[in-house]
PDB file of all heavy atoms in Angstrom:
ATOM      1  N   SER A  69       1.219  -1.107  83.583  1.00 94.00           N
ATOM      2  CA  SER A  69       2.575  -1.310  83.253  1.00 94.00           C
ATOM      3  C   SER A  69       3.368  -0.083  83.717  1.00 94.00           C
ATOM      4  O   SER A  69       4.551  -0.265  84.164  1.00 94.00           O
ATOM      5  CB  SER A  69       2.650  -1.522  81.790  1.00 94.00           C
ATOM      6  OG  SER A  69       3.983  -1.713  81.367  1.00 94.00           O
ATOM      7  N   SER A  70       2.878   1.110  83.528  1.00 94.00           N
ATOM      8  CA  SER A  70       3.525   2.237  83.946  1.00 94.00           C
ATOM      9  C   SER A  70       3.727   2.335  85.365  1.00 94.00           C
ATOM     10  O   SER A  70       4.897   2.653  85.917  1.00 94.00           O
ATOM     11  CB  SER A  70       2.781   3.512  83.536  1.00 94.00           C
ATOM     12  OG  SER A  70       3.418   4.589  83.972  1.00 94.00           O
ATOM     13  N   ARG A  71       2.607   1.948  86.131  1.00 95.00           N
ATOM     14  CA  ARG A  71       2.847   1.882  87.608  1.00 95.00           C
ATOM     15  C   ARG A  71       3.800   0.887  88.060  1.00 95.00           C
ATOM     16  O   ARG A  71       4.686   1.114  88.923  1.00 95.00           O
ATOM     17  CB  ARG A  71       1.442   1.628  88.259  1.00 95.00           C
ATOM     18  CG  ARG A  71       0.496   2.722  88.392  1.00 95.00           C
ATOM     19  CD  ARG A  71      -0.611   2.438  89.354  1.00 95.00           C
ATOM     20  NE  ARG A  71      -1.359   1.271  88.944  1.00 95.00           N
ATOM     21  CZ  ARG A  71      -2.379   1.304  88.163  1.00 95.00           C
ATOM     22  NH1 ARG A  71      -2.873   2.328  87.561  1.00 95.00           N
ATOM     23  NH2 ARG A  71      -3.102   0.112  87.817  1.00 95.00           N
ATOM     24  N   TRP A  72       3.805  -0.315  87.375  1.00 95.00           N
ATOM     25  CA  TRP A  72       4.802  -1.358  87.730  1.00 95.00           C
ATOM     26  C   TRP A  72       6.132  -0.908  87.437  1.00 95.00           C
ATOM     27  O   TRP A  72       7.105  -1.109  88.183  1.00 95.00           O
ATOM     28  CB  TRP A  72       4.475  -2.686  86.999  1.00 95.00           C
ATOM     29  CG  TRP A  72       5.332  -3.714  87.203  1.00 95.00           C
ATOM     30  CD1 TRP A  72       6.177  -4.303  86.325  1.00 95.00           C
ATOM     31  CD2 TRP A  72       5.714  -4.452  88.455  1.00 95.00           C
ATOM     32  NE1 TRP A  72       7.006  -5.285  86.863  1.00 95.00           N
ATOM     33  CE2 TRP A  72       6.628  -5.344  88.139  1.00 95.00           C
ATOM     34  CE3 TRP A  72       5.134  -4.327  89.665  1.00 95.00           C
ATOM     35  CZ2 TRP A  72       7.137  -6.203  89.187  1.00 95.00           C
ATOM     36  CZ3 TRP A  72       5.633  -5.180  90.687  1.00 95.00           C
ATOM     37  CH2 TRP A  72       6.525  -6.062  90.456  1.00 95.00           C
ATOM     38  N   GLY A  73       6.363  -0.312  86.210  1.00 94.00           N
ATOM     39  CA  GLY A  73       7.651   0.187  85.891  1.00 94.00           C
ATOM     40  C   GLY A  73       8.113   1.309  86.870  1.00 94.00           C
ATOM     41  O   GLY A  73       9.334   1.287  87.187  1.00 94.00           O
ATOM     42  N   LEU A  74       7.269   2.259  87.261  1.00 94.00           N
ATOM     43  CA  LEU A  74       7.585   3.212  88.199  1.00 94.00           C
ATOM     44  C   LEU A  74       8.002   2.568  89.511  1.00 94.00           C
ATOM     45  O   LEU A  74       9.012   3.033  90.163  1.00 94.00           O
ATOM     46  CB  LEU A  74       6.447   4.177  88.337  1.00 94.00           C
ATOM     47  CG  LEU A  74       6.715   5.474  89.043  1.00 94.00           C
ATOM     48  CD1 LEU A  74       7.825   6.313  88.334  1.00 94.00           C
ATOM     49  CD2 LEU A  74       5.448   6.308  89.173  1.00 94.00           C
ATOM     50  N   HIS A  75       7.292   1.583  89.985  1.00 95.00           N
ATOM     51  CA  HIS A  75       7.601   0.866  91.191  1.00 95.00           C
ATOM     52  C   HIS A  75       8.956   0.248  91.102  1.00 95.00           C
ATOM     53  O   HIS A  75       9.771   0.348  92.021  1.00 95.00           O
ATOM     54  CB  HIS A  75       6.515  -0.119  91.441  1.00 95.00           C
ATOM     55  CG  HIS A  75       6.799  -1.034  92.661  1.00 95.00           C
ATOM     56  ND1 HIS A  75       6.764  -0.575  93.888  1.00 95.00           N
ATOM     57  CD2 HIS A  75       7.247  -2.345  92.732  1.00 95.00           C
ATOM     58  CE1 HIS A  75       7.098  -1.579  94.779  1.00 95.00           C
ATOM     59  NE2 HIS A  75       7.381  -2.608  93.992  1.00 95.00           N
ATOM     60  N   LYS A  76       9.208  -0.348  89.937  1.00 95.00           N
ATOM     61  CA  LYS A  76      10.562  -0.935  89.728  1.00 95.00           C
ATOM     62  C   LYS A  76      11.636   0.110  89.736  1.00 95.00           C
ATOM     63  O   LYS A  76      12.667  -0.146  90.367  1.00 95.00           O
ATOM     64  CB  LYS A  76      10.658  -1.748  88.400  1.00 95.00           C
ATOM     65  CG  LYS A  76      10.013  -3.059  88.395  1.00 95.00           C
ATOM     66  CD  LYS A  76       9.989  -3.701  87.044  1.00 95.00           C
ATOM     67  CE  LYS A  76      11.128  -4.540  86.850  1.00 95.00           C
ATOM     68  NZ  LYS A  76      11.133  -5.362  85.593  1.00 95.00           N
ATOM     69  N   VAL A  77      11.445   1.180  89.081  1.00 96.00           N
ATOM     70  CA  VAL A  77      12.392   2.309  89.184  1.00 96.00           C
ATOM     71  C   VAL A  77      12.694   2.807  90.572  1.00 96.00           C
ATOM     72  O   VAL A  77      13.840   2.990  90.938  1.00 96.00           O
ATOM     73  CB  VAL A  77      11.974   3.430  88.193  1.00 96.00           C
ATOM     74  CG1 VAL A  77      12.733   4.715  88.387  1.00 96.00           C
ATOM     75  CG2 VAL A  77      12.001   2.942  86.777  1.00 96.00           C
ATOM     76  N   HIS A  78      11.532   3.063  91.288  1.00 96.00           N
ATOM     77  CA  HIS A  78      11.744   3.456  92.704  1.00 96.00           C
ATOM     78  C   HIS A  78      12.438   2.530  93.501  1.00 96.00           C
ATOM     79  O   HIS A  78      13.317   2.836  94.259  1.00 96.00           O
ATOM     80  CB  HIS A  78      10.352   3.676  93.317  1.00 96.00           C
ATOM     81  CG  HIS A  78       9.590   4.983  92.839  1.00 96.00           C
ATOM     82  ND1 HIS A  78      10.278   6.227  93.131  1.00 96.00           N
ATOM     83  CD2 HIS A  78       8.579   5.332  92.299  1.00 96.00           C
ATOM     84  CE1 HIS A  78       9.547   7.225  92.653  1.00 96.00           C
ATOM     85  NE2 HIS A  78       8.396   6.567  92.176  1.00 96.00           N
ATOM     86  N   THR A  79      12.107   1.179  93.334  1.00 96.00           N
ATOM     87  CA  THR A  79      12.853   0.088  94.018  1.00 96.00           C
ATOM     88  C   THR A  79      14.347   0.130  93.726  1.00 96.00           C
ATOM     89  O   THR A  79      15.234   0.110  94.641  1.00 96.00           O
ATOM     90  CB  THR A  79      12.236  -1.253  93.740  1.00 96.00           C
ATOM     91  OG1 THR A  79      10.900  -1.190  94.057  1.00 96.00           O
ATOM     92  CG2 THR A  79      12.882  -2.351  94.491  1.00 96.00           C
ATOM     93  N   LEU A  80      14.634   0.187  92.378  1.00 96.00           N
ATOM     94  CA  LEU A  80      16.020   0.178  92.002  1.00 96.00           C
ATOM     95  C   LEU A  80      16.758   1.467  92.528  1.00 96.00           C
ATOM     96  O   LEU A  80      17.865   1.477  93.022  1.00 96.00           O
ATOM     97  CB  LEU A  80      16.267   0.138  90.541  1.00 96.00           C
ATOM     98  CG  LEU A  80      15.886  -1.169  89.874  1.00 96.00           C
ATOM     99  CD1 LEU A  80      15.819  -1.065  88.366  1.00 96.00           C
ATOM    100  CD2 LEU A  80      16.826  -2.286  90.340  1.00 96.00           C
ATOM    101  N   TRP A  81      16.072   2.678  92.488  1.00 96.00           N
ATOM    102  CA  TRP A  81      16.638   3.879  93.016  1.00 96.00           C
ATOM    103  C   TRP A  81      16.987   3.736  94.541  1.00 96.00           C
ATOM    104  O   TRP A  81      17.973   4.221  95.013  1.00 96.00           O
ATOM    105  CB  TRP A  81      15.689   5.062  92.715  1.00 96.00           C
ATOM    106  CG  TRP A  81      16.134   6.300  93.260  1.00 96.00           C
ATOM    107  CD1 TRP A  81      15.603   6.999  94.274  1.00 96.00           C
ATOM    108  CD2 TRP A  81      17.327   7.050  92.895  1.00 96.00           C
ATOM    109  NE1 TRP A  81      16.287   8.167  94.517  1.00 96.00           N
ATOM    110  CE2 TRP A  81      17.304   8.253  93.734  1.00 96.00           C
ATOM    111  CE3 TRP A  81      18.307   6.892  91.939  1.00 96.00           C
ATOM    112  CZ2 TRP A  81      18.377   9.186  93.592  1.00 96.00           C
ATOM    113  CZ3 TRP A  81      19.288   7.849  91.829  1.00 96.00           C
ATOM    114  CH2 TRP A  81      19.310   9.017  92.729  1.00 96.00           C
ATOM    115  N   ARG A  82      15.943   3.212  95.258  1.00 96.00           N
ATOM    116  CA  ARG A  82      16.244   3.101  96.723  1.00 96.00           C
ATOM    117  C   ARG A  82      17.324   2.094  96.996  1.00 96.00           C
ATOM    118  O   ARG A  82      18.092   2.386  97.894  1.00 96.00           O
ATOM    119  CB  ARG A  82      14.925   2.580  97.338  1.00 96.00           C
ATOM    120  CG  ARG A  82      13.754   3.554  97.550  1.00 96.00           C
ATOM    121  CD  ARG A  82      12.715   3.026  98.384  1.00 96.00           C
ATOM    122  NE  ARG A  82      11.508   3.838  98.119  1.00 96.00           N
ATOM    123  CZ  ARG A  82      10.296   3.492  97.631  1.00 96.00           C
ATOM    124  NH1 ARG A  82      10.184   2.263  97.305  1.00 96.00           N
ATOM    125  NH2 ARG A  82       9.295   4.347  97.486  1.00 96.00           N
ATOM    126  N   SER A  83      17.446   1.018  96.191  1.00 96.00           N
ATOM    127  CA  SER A  83      18.505   0.079  96.358  1.00 96.00           C
ATOM    128  C   SER A  83      19.823   0.764  96.072  1.00 96.00           C
ATOM    129  O   SER A  83      20.758   0.574  96.873  1.00 96.00           O
ATOM    130  CB  SER A  83      18.351  -1.069  95.390  1.00 96.00           C
ATOM    131  OG  SER A  83      19.361  -1.981  95.454  1.00 96.00           O
ATOM    132  N   ALA A  84      19.902   1.533  95.035  1.00 96.00           N
ATOM    133  CA  ALA A  84      21.160   2.259  94.649  1.00 96.00           C
ATOM    134  C   ALA A  84      21.484   3.241  95.795  1.00 96.00           C
ATOM    135  O   ALA A  84      22.681   3.415  96.280  1.00 96.00           O
ATOM    136  CB  ALA A  84      20.985   2.998  93.395  1.00 96.00           C
ATOM    137  N   GLN A  85      20.407   4.012  96.409  1.00 96.00           N
ATOM    138  CA  GLN A  85      20.763   4.892  97.516  1.00 96.00           C
ATOM    139  C   GLN A  85      21.167   4.166  98.692  1.00 96.00           C
ATOM    140  O   GLN A  85      22.099   4.612  99.445  1.00 96.00           O
ATOM    141  CB  GLN A  85      19.448   5.742  97.769  1.00 96.00           C
ATOM    142  CG  GLN A  85      19.135   6.818  96.758  1.00 96.00           C
ATOM    143  CD  GLN A  85      17.957   7.634  97.185  1.00 96.00           C
ATOM    144  OE1 GLN A  85      16.936   6.989  97.645  1.00 96.00           O
ATOM    145  NE2 GLN A  85      18.006   8.880  96.884  1.00 96.00           N
ATOM    146  N   ARG A  86      20.557   2.939  98.989  1.00 96.00           N
ATOM    147  CA  ARG A  86      20.945   2.203 100.200  1.00 96.00           C
ATOM    148  C   ARG A  86      22.445   1.777 100.055  1.00 96.00           C
ATOM    149  O   ARG A  86      23.226   1.845 101.017  1.00 96.00           O
ATOM    150  CB  ARG A  86      20.098   0.979 100.204  1.00 96.00           C
ATOM    151  CG  ARG A  86      18.757   1.195 100.962  1.00 96.00           C
ATOM    152  CD  ARG A  86      18.016  -0.043 101.312  1.00 96.00           C
ATOM    153  NE  ARG A  86      16.629   0.276 101.453  1.00 96.00           N
ATOM    154  CZ  ARG A  86      15.628  -0.158 100.575  1.00 96.00           C
ATOM    155  NH1 ARG A  86      15.996  -0.814  99.546  1.00 96.00           N
ATOM    156  NH2 ARG A  86      14.433   0.240 100.784  1.00 96.00           N
ATOM    157  N   LYS A  87      22.842   1.278  98.803  1.00 96.00           N
ATOM    158  CA  LYS A  87      24.213   0.880  98.621  1.00 96.00           C
ATOM    159  C   LYS A  87      25.139   2.021  98.859  1.00 96.00           C
ATOM    160  O   LYS A  87      26.180   1.854  99.485  1.00 96.00           O
ATOM    161  CB  LYS A  87      24.365   0.295  97.168  1.00 96.00           C
ATOM    162  CG  LYS A  87      23.808  -1.102  97.050  1.00 96.00           C
ATOM    163  CD  LYS A  87      23.969  -1.645  95.594  1.00 96.00           C
ATOM    164  CE  LYS A  87      23.362  -2.959  95.434  1.00 96.00           C
ATOM    165  NZ  LYS A  87      23.360  -3.478  94.085  1.00 96.00           N
ATOM    166  N   ALA A  88      24.767   3.198  98.259  1.00 96.00           N
ATOM    167  CA  ALA A  88      25.640   4.359  98.478  1.00 96.00           C
ATOM    168  C   ALA A  88      25.785   4.677  99.853  1.00 96.00           C
ATOM    169  O   ALA A  88      26.917   5.014 100.408  1.00 96.00           O
ATOM    170  CB  ALA A  88      25.125   5.476  97.596  1.00 96.00           C
ATOM    171  N   LYS A  89      24.656   4.746 100.646  1.00 97.00           N
ATOM    172  CA  LYS A  89      24.610   5.125 101.982  1.00 97.00           C
ATOM    173  C   LYS A  89      25.395   4.060 102.811  1.00 97.00           C
ATOM    174  O   LYS A  89      26.121   4.372 103.764  1.00 97.00           O
ATOM    175  CB  LYS A  89      23.190   5.274 102.530  1.00 97.00           C
ATOM    176  CG  LYS A  89      23.083   5.803 103.832  1.00 97.00           C
ATOM    177  CD  LYS A  89      23.580   7.309 103.897  1.00 97.00           C
ATOM    178  CE  LYS A  89      23.345   7.913 105.164  1.00 97.00           C
ATOM    179  NZ  LYS A  89      23.804   9.325 105.201  1.00 97.00           N
ATOM    180  N   ASP A  90      25.243   2.790 102.478  1.00 97.00           N
ATOM    181  CA  ASP A  90      25.929   1.660 103.095  1.00 97.00           C
ATOM    182  C   ASP A  90      27.448   1.853 102.987  1.00 97.00           C
ATOM    183  O   ASP A  90      28.215   1.789 103.955  1.00 97.00           O
ATOM    184  CB  ASP A  90      25.507   0.344 102.539  1.00 97.00           C
ATOM    185  CG  ASP A  90      26.282  -0.806 103.174  1.00 97.00           C
ATOM    186  OD1 ASP A  90      26.097  -1.053 104.358  1.00 97.00           O
ATOM    187  OD2 ASP A  90      26.970  -1.494 102.488  1.00 97.00           O
ATOM    188  N   GLN A  91      27.856   2.179 101.738  1.00 97.00           N
ATOM    189  CA  GLN A  91      29.267   2.364 101.570  1.00 97.00           C
ATOM    190  C   GLN A  91      29.837   3.575 102.308  1.00 97.00           C
ATOM    191  O   GLN A  91      30.919   3.552 102.933  1.00 97.00           O
ATOM    192  CB  GLN A  91      29.545   2.511 100.001  1.00 97.00           C
ATOM    193  CG  GLN A  91      30.990   2.536  99.649  1.00 97.00           C
ATOM    194  CD  GLN A  91      31.181   2.691  98.139  1.00 97.00           C
ATOM    195  OE1 GLN A  91      30.214   2.848  97.414  1.00 97.00           O
ATOM    196  NE2 GLN A  91      32.419   2.634  97.648  1.00 97.00           N
ATOM    197  N   GLU A  92      29.039   4.648 102.290  1.00 97.00           N
ATOM    198  CA  GLU A  92      29.405   5.941 103.052  1.00 97.00           C
ATOM    199  C   GLU A  92      29.554   5.623 104.485  1.00 97.00           C
ATOM    200  O   GLU A  92      30.450   6.050 105.132  1.00 97.00           O
ATOM    201  CB  GLU A  92      28.319   6.925 102.724  1.00 97.00           C
ATOM    202  CG  GLU A  92      28.665   8.268 103.346  1.00 97.00           C
ATOM    203  CD  GLU A  92      27.511   9.309 103.133  1.00 97.00           C
ATOM    204  OE1 GLU A  92      26.924   9.262 102.135  1.00 97.00           O
ATOM    205  OE2 GLU A  92      27.310  10.066 104.079  1.00 97.00           O
ATOM    206  N   LEU A  93      28.518   4.986 105.131  1.00 97.00           N
ATOM    207  CA  LEU A  93      28.626   4.607 106.557  1.00 97.00           C
ATOM    208  C   LEU A  93      29.771   3.714 106.833  1.00 97.00           C
ATOM    209  O   LEU A  93      30.478   3.831 107.895  1.00 97.00           O
ATOM    210  CB  LEU A  93      27.265   4.003 106.950  1.00 97.00           C
ATOM    211  CG  LEU A  93      26.064   4.942 106.961  1.00 97.00           C
ATOM    212  CD1 LEU A  93      24.854   4.137 107.301  1.00 97.00           C
ATOM    213  CD2 LEU A  93      26.338   6.020 107.971  1.00 97.00           C
ATOM    214  N   ARG A  94      30.040   2.726 105.975  1.00 97.00           N
ATOM    215  CA  ARG A  94      31.166   1.775 106.194  1.00 97.00           C
ATOM    216  C   ARG A  94      32.559   2.653 106.220  1.00 97.00           C
ATOM    217  O   ARG A  94      33.379   2.364 106.987  1.00 97.00           O
ATOM    218  CB  ARG A  94      31.189   0.682 105.165  1.00 97.00           C
ATOM    219  CG  ARG A  94      30.128  -0.347 105.461  1.00 97.00           C
ATOM    220  CD  ARG A  94      30.226  -1.509 104.409  1.00 97.00           C
ATOM    221  NE  ARG A  94      29.134  -2.381 104.538  1.00 97.00           N
ATOM    222  CZ  ARG A  94      28.926  -3.282 105.417  1.00 97.00           C
ATOM    223  NH1 ARG A  94      29.907  -3.500 106.229  1.00 97.00           N
ATOM    224  NH2 ARG A  94      27.795  -4.049 105.395  1.00 97.00           N
TER     225      ARG A  94
END
């Protein structure tokens, strides 16, 4: 469960970073 939660957190973090980078690049 911890691994799965950590994976979800990493995925959400990457998604947030992608959105921020996407907005910055735009």
